[in-house]
Amino acid sequence: MEGQLQTRNVPNLTEIELAAIESGNNLADGHARYELTASQQKIINQLGEMYALAAEASPALLDQKAQSAFLTAVGQHSAMAGAEVLSCYSSSVAMEITARSLYTSGVRRVALIHPTFDNIPDILRGAGMDLTPMSEDSVMAGSGRLPAGAEVLFITTPNNPTGQVLLPEALTHWARECASKDAVLVLDSSFRGFDERAQYDHYAILVQEGCRYIIMEDTGKLWPTLDLKIGFLAFPRDERLPLHRIYTDILLGVSPLLMLLVQRFAEDAQDGGFSELHRFIRSNRALLRKRLSGIPATSFPDADSRISVERLALPAGFTGSDMRHALCERGVHVLPCRQFYWAEPEAGERYIRLALSRPPEMIRTAAAAICACIERG
Ligand code: EGV
């Protein structure tokens, strides 16, 4: 009953994102919404020929080539050799398959990073998992034990919305800790394309530590491809969870045209596209920070974040939820951070989240609206 009331009164982040989508000043969702680069445009101009190629080629080969191109571009060199990789239409589909596989195997107790994007706890709870929060700081510190009884440790890295990255020493620690308890280490790496610090070979470490793992890789946040994207679900070939079986309950596979598109964009990324993307996001982040630098008592708590969203801490007396509504009246759409703090919503009220994967003009407009709202009090 309480749960149903919650659902009616507080929108989830995706409902807020949806409401913003038709707006001119949509800095709500984390999807890439800006012009294609020149080399990306070239790929799109070849879509007709790519369709013909995809129709003729072996789907399995296209799948393998796209996976290999993407995983190589993000530094995951051991993945193809050691892991089974399943291609999904989005990383949320991969997450749903993961959660159902856990449930089917009798697993219930998941330790989950806090805060993180709300659809992760929502999908896991929806599939019957019991969640224990683990603070982002304790996860990233890479010391300490798993909470008692935890059968899964779920980490978003880089984390959304903070951009914090699980470094090699910390991954090694948790891999060892999970291996000693036969727990599964699940990583959502949807934002790793933005941050080279998250591009060391995770699979090599996990294999070396003998850890059971599931990794969700994602192209969805990286390229302005009108939501043509792939979520990869990767796990050891000998993993006993019924991931392949549940995948096939849901999908035969994804479109070979989509696989070919992902392959071409991944090759372009490796060939300078990622550098260009990193420059673009860095420049938008600097622009936002500069435009708001004159506003007293606001701050950017994630000094070293490289991902395509940015948290802003509001002055005392403002809440993220109120600020979101006030900005909405000025035609600017952002996310409140309350919902990211799934175990302690009030702690998220200090912040809003702004998307940086937008044209710079939109960042300027949003910054001006935020200044106006705060100055008015
Ligand atoms: C972000 C949208 C889903 C998600 C956006 C996101 N929600 N998939 N239910 O893709 O950070 O804005 O992760």
Side-chain angles (χ1 to χ4, degrees), residues 145-168:
R145 305 270 78 94
L146 272 178
E151 299 160 283
V152 174
L153 173 58
F154 193 121
I155 302 173
T156 314
T157 174
N159 197 13
N160 181 4
T162 64
Q164 280 216 50
V165 174
L166 188 72
L167 296 173

Short mmCIF file of all heavy atoms in Angstrom, two decimals, residues 145-168:
data_model
loop_
_atom_site.label_atom_id
_atom_site.label_comp_id
_atom_site.label_asym_id
_atom_site.label_seq_id
_atom_site.Cartn_x
_atom_site.Cartn_y
_atom_site.Cartn_z
N ARG A 145 34.32 -5.04 4.41
CA ARG A 145 33.70 -6.30 4.04
C ARG A 145 32.37 -6.07 3.33
O ARG A 145 31.80 -4.98 3.39
CB ARG A 145 33.42 -7.14 5.30
CG ARG A 145 34.63 -7.41 6.20
CD ARG A 145 35.36 -8.70 5.79
NE ARG A 145 36.20 -8.55 4.61
CZ ARG A 145 37.51 -8.26 4.64
NH1 ARG A 145 38.14 -8.09 5.76
NH2 ARG A 145 38.19 -8.15 3.52
N LEU A 146 31.87 -7.11 2.69
CA LEU A 146 30.50 -7.10 2.18
C LEU A 146 29.55 -7.09 3.37
O LEU A 146 29.86 -7.69 4.40
CB LEU A 146 30.23 -8.39 1.40
CG LEU A 146 30.56 -8.46 -0.09
CD1 LEU A 146 30.24 -9.87 -0.60
CD2 LEU A 146 29.77 -7.43 -0.87
N PRO A 147 28.40 -6.43 3.23
CA PRO A 147 27.41 -6.53 4.32
C PRO A 147 27.07 -8.02 4.56
O PRO A 147 27.08 -8.81 3.61
CB PRO A 147 26.19 -5.80 3.76
CG PRO A 147 26.70 -4.93 2.66
CD PRO A 147 27.93 -5.61 2.12
N ALA A 148 26.79 -8.35 5.83
CA ALA A 148 26.53 -9.75 6.18
C ALA A 148 25.41 -10.32 5.32
O ALA A 148 24.36 -9.69 5.17
CB ALA A 148 26.17 -9.84 7.66
N GLY A 149 25.65 -11.47 4.74
CA GLY A 149 24.60 -12.16 3.99
C GLY A 149 24.46 -11.73 2.54
O GLY A 149 23.70 -12.33 1.78
N ALA A 150 25.19 -10.68 2.10
CA ALA A 150 25.04 -10.20 0.72
C ALA A 150 25.51 -11.28 -0.26
O ALA A 150 26.58 -11.86 -0.10
CB ALA A 150 25.81 -8.91 0.51
N GLU A 151 24.68 -11.54 -1.26
CA GLU A 151 25.02 -12.53 -2.28
C GLU A 151 25.49 -11.86 -3.57
O GLU A 151 26.01 -12.52 -4.48
CB GLU A 151 23.79 -13.40 -2.58
CG GLU A 151 23.28 -14.17 -1.37
CD GLU A 151 21.83 -14.61 -1.54
OE1 GLU A 151 20.93 -13.75 -1.39
OE2 GLU A 151 21.61 -15.80 -1.84
N VAL A 152 25.22 -10.57 -3.68
CA VAL A 152 25.59 -9.80 -4.87
C VAL A 152 26.09 -8.44 -4.40
O VAL A 152 25.53 -7.85 -3.47
CB VAL A 152 24.36 -9.56 -5.78
CG1 VAL A 152 24.71 -8.64 -6.95
CG2 VAL A 152 23.79 -10.89 -6.29
N LEU A 153 27.15 -7.95 -5.04
CA LEU A 153 27.56 -6.54 -4.85
C LEU A 153 27.36 -5.85 -6.20
O LEU A 153 27.94 -6.28 -7.20
CB LEU A 153 29.02 -6.46 -4.40
CG LEU A 153 29.61 -5.04 -4.33
CD1 LEU A 153 28.82 -4.14 -3.39
CD2 LEU A 153 31.09 -5.10 -3.91
N PHE A 154 26.55 -4.81 -6.21
CA PHE A 154 26.21 -4.10 -7.46
C PHE A 154 26.81 -2.70 -7.40
O PHE A 154 26.45 -1.90 -6.52
CB PHE A 154 24.69 -4.04 -7.63
CG PHE A 154 24.25 -3.61 -9.01
CD1 PHE A 154 23.44 -4.45 -9.78
CD2 PHE A 154 24.63 -2.38 -9.55
CE1 PHE A 154 23.03 -4.07 -11.06
CE2 PHE A 154 24.22 -1.99 -10.82
CZ PHE A 154 23.42 -2.85 -11.58
N ILE A 155 27.71 -2.42 -8.34
CA ILE A 155 28.41 -1.11 -8.36
C ILE A 155 28.22 -0.45 -9.73
O ILE A 155 28.43 -1.09 -10.76
CB ILE A 155 29.92 -1.30 -8.10
CG1 ILE A 155 30.17 -1.99 -6.75
CG2 ILE A 155 30.64 0.05 -8.15
CD1 ILE A 155 31.64 -2.35 -6.50
N THR A 156 27.82 0.81 -9.73
CA THR A 156 27.78 1.59 -10.95
C THR A 156 29.10 2.36 -11.03
O THR A 156 29.42 3.13 -10.13
CB THR A 156 26.61 2.60 -10.90
OG1 THR A 156 25.44 1.93 -10.43
CG2 THR A 156 26.34 3.20 -12.27
N THR A 157 29.86 2.14 -12.10
CA THR A 157 31.17 2.80 -12.23
C THR A 157 31.48 3.12 -13.68
O THR A 157 31.43 2.22 -14.50
CB THR A 157 32.31 1.96 -11.61
OG1 THR A 157 33.57 2.62 -11.91
CG2 THR A 157 32.37 0.53 -12.15
N PRO A 158 31.75 4.41 -14.01
CA PRO A 158 31.60 5.58 -13.17
C PRO A 158 30.17 5.70 -12.67
O PRO A 158 29.24 5.35 -13.40
CB PRO A 158 31.94 6.74 -14.12
CG PRO A 158 32.74 6.13 -15.23
CD PRO A 158 32.24 4.73 -15.37
N ASN A 159 30.02 6.23 -11.46
CA ASN A 159 28.68 6.26 -10.89
C ASN A 159 27.88 7.44 -11.46
O ASN A 159 28.43 8.48 -11.82
CB ASN A 159 28.75 6.35 -9.36
CG ASN A 159 27.42 5.97 -8.70
OD1 ASN A 159 26.53 5.41 -9.36
ND2 ASN A 159 27.27 6.28 -7.43
N ASN A 160 26.59 7.24 -11.56
CA ASN A 160 25.63 8.24 -12.02
C ASN A 160 24.82 8.65 -10.79
O ASN A 160 24.18 7.78 -10.19
CB ASN A 160 24.73 7.57 -13.07
CG ASN A 160 23.68 8.48 -13.67
OD1 ASN A 160 23.63 9.65 -13.37
ND2 ASN A 160 22.83 7.90 -14.53
N PRO A 161 24.87 9.90 -10.32
CA PRO A 161 25.28 11.12 -11.02
C PRO A 161 26.66 11.66 -10.64
O PRO A 161 27.01 12.74 -11.12
CB PRO A 161 24.23 12.12 -10.52
CG PRO A 161 24.05 11.75 -9.07
CD PRO A 161 24.20 10.24 -9.03
N THR A 162 27.46 11.00 -9.83
CA THR A 162 28.65 11.65 -9.25
C THR A 162 29.89 11.53 -10.11
O THR A 162 30.86 12.27 -9.90
CB THR A 162 28.98 11.02 -7.88
OG1 THR A 162 29.34 9.64 -8.11
CG2 THR A 162 27.81 11.08 -6.92
N GLY A 163 29.93 10.58 -11.02
CA GLY A 163 31.11 10.38 -11.85
C GLY A 163 32.24 9.66 -11.14
O GLY A 163 33.32 9.49 -11.70
N GLN A 164 32.02 9.19 -9.91
CA GLN A 164 33.11 8.50 -9.20
C GLN A 164 33.44 7.16 -9.84
O GLN A 164 32.54 6.42 -10.24
CB GLN A 164 32.73 8.29 -7.74
CG GLN A 164 32.95 9.55 -6.92
CD GLN A 164 33.44 9.21 -5.53
OE1 GLN A 164 34.39 8.44 -5.34
NE2 GLN A 164 32.80 9.79 -4.53
N VAL A 165 34.73 6.87 -9.90
CA VAL A 165 35.23 5.69 -10.61
C VAL A 165 35.81 4.68 -9.62
O VAL A 165 36.53 5.06 -8.70
CB VAL A 165 36.32 6.11 -11.62
CG1 VAL A 165 36.96 4.89 -12.28
CG2 VAL A 165 35.74 7.05 -12.67
N LEU A 166 35.51 3.41 -9.84
CA LEU A 166 36.10 2.33 -9.06
C LEU A 166 37.48 2.04 -9.64
O LEU A 166 37.60 1.52 -10.76
CB LEU A 166 35.20 1.08 -9.16
CG LEU A 166 35.54 -0.11 -8.28
CD1 LEU A 166 35.20 0.20 -6.81
CD2 LEU A 166 34.78 -1.36 -8.73
N LEU A 167 38.54 2.38 -8.89
CA LEU A 167 39.90 2.24 -9.41
C LEU A 167 40.38 0.79 -9.28
O LEU A 167 39.76 -0.01 -8.57
CB LEU A 167 40.82 3.22 -8.68
CG LEU A 167 40.44 4.69 -8.95
CD1 LEU A 167 41.25 5.65 -8.07
CD2 LEU A 167 40.59 5.05 -10.43
N PRO A 168 41.47 0.43 -9.98
CA PRO A 168 41.89 -0.98 -10.03
C PRO A 168 42.07 -1.63 -8.65
O PRO A 168 41.67 -2.78 -8.46
CB PRO A 168 43.21 -0.94 -10.80
CG PRO A 168 43.18 0.32 -11.59
CD PRO A 168 42.29 1.29 -10.85
#
